Amino acid sequence: MAGRSEGLPLESLWLASAGRSAGDAEARGGLLPPDLEARFDGALSVALRPDRPTIVANFVTSVDGIAAMGPSEPSAGGGEISGFSESDRFMMALLRGLADVVIVGAGTVRAGRTHEWTPRRVAPDLAGAFAAWRSNLGLAPQPTTVVVTARGDVDPSQPGLSAPDVPVVVATTRAGATRLATLTLPPNMTVETAEGD
């Protein structure tokens, strides 16, 4: 199944209305650079909420609605569901290309021991195009990775968390922050403690 979608352009089937006219809403994105436009049908923009953060979710499902394998599976990521679709990875890179922040749970971080939650990681051949696009949009070179963990059970030396040019925030409880305080954190990582447990 791997490679069956390699190089296929993506086509928008449906876009949700932002609830206001396009001229009234602030949006991020628009026309894509030529290297990205060749793979995506038209412009890509996300309407930004003026009153709160805008959240975009991306995941794949099987035809019968399965989005994740059970914990007994040897590998339980989305790749197994998508058949390691290159087009799916490209869409993930596009959305990360527009993002200020990519939020992941600690379990996802532990499962993706070498993963980095950036567009360059999921589409390395287009890393330059994504960097230029983010620069043209006035965004930071890489989105901030926010890891959510109750126990603080993450390895700060993991490659995806210790890349010097990728800001990482670990959002945790007081107990999780206490655990992380015993570890050596890379310079790109900060810990934020949530109120309460």
Side-chain angles (χ1 to χ4, degrees):
M1 292 170 66
R4 69 178 176 195
S5 63
E6 193 158 332
L8 293 177
L10 293 171
E11 178 184 350
S12 296
L13 299 177
W14 176 77
L15 293 175
S17 169
R20 38 191 127 97
S21 69
D24 295 340
E26 183 180 344
R28 177 177 295 166
L31 295 176
L32 301 173
D35 289 347
L36 304 179
E37 184 183 33
R39 296 286 318 283
F40 189 81
D41 181 31
L44 175 67
S45 63
V46 173
L48 302 177
R49 301 280 312 221
D51 57 334
R52 59 186 166 103
T54 300
I55 299 173
V56 177
N58 174 244
F59 61 93
V60 296
T61 68
S62 64
V63 173
D64 59 349
I66 296 173
M69 302 290 193
S72 63
E73 299 294 326
S75 182
E80 288 74 18
I81 302 287
S82 74
F84 297 93
S85 164
E86 194 274 337
S87 292
D88 173 62
R89 293 180 65 77
F90 178 72
M91 188 68 217
M92 188 180 349
L94 278 176
L95 293 174
R96 289 179 183 181
L98 286 175
D100 292 311
V101 172
V102 176
I103 301 174
V104 293
T108 299
V109 171
R110 287 188 296 273
R113 304 267 333 137
T114 61
H115 194 68
E116 178 183 288
W117 290 270
T118 61
R120 70 180 180 202
R121 170 68 171 145
V122 292
D125 55 326
L126 295 168
F130 279 110
W133 189 36
R134 287 183 65 81
S135 177
N136 289 340
L137 292 172
L139 300 175
Q142 299 299 331
T144 297
T145 300
V146 174
V147 180
V148 180
T149 172
R151 298 186 320 257
D153 186 13
V154 294
D155 178 1
S157 67
Q158 183 171 331
L161 301 181
S162 59
D165 64 331
V166 179
V168 175
V169 175
V170 179
T172 190
T173 61
R174 286 188 291 261
T178 299
R179 180 186 184 283
L180 287 164
T182 67
L183 305 174
T184 301
L185 303 181
N188 64 307
M189 182 181 285
T190 59
V191 175
E192 295 291 335
T193 306
E195 294 295 321
D197 287 322

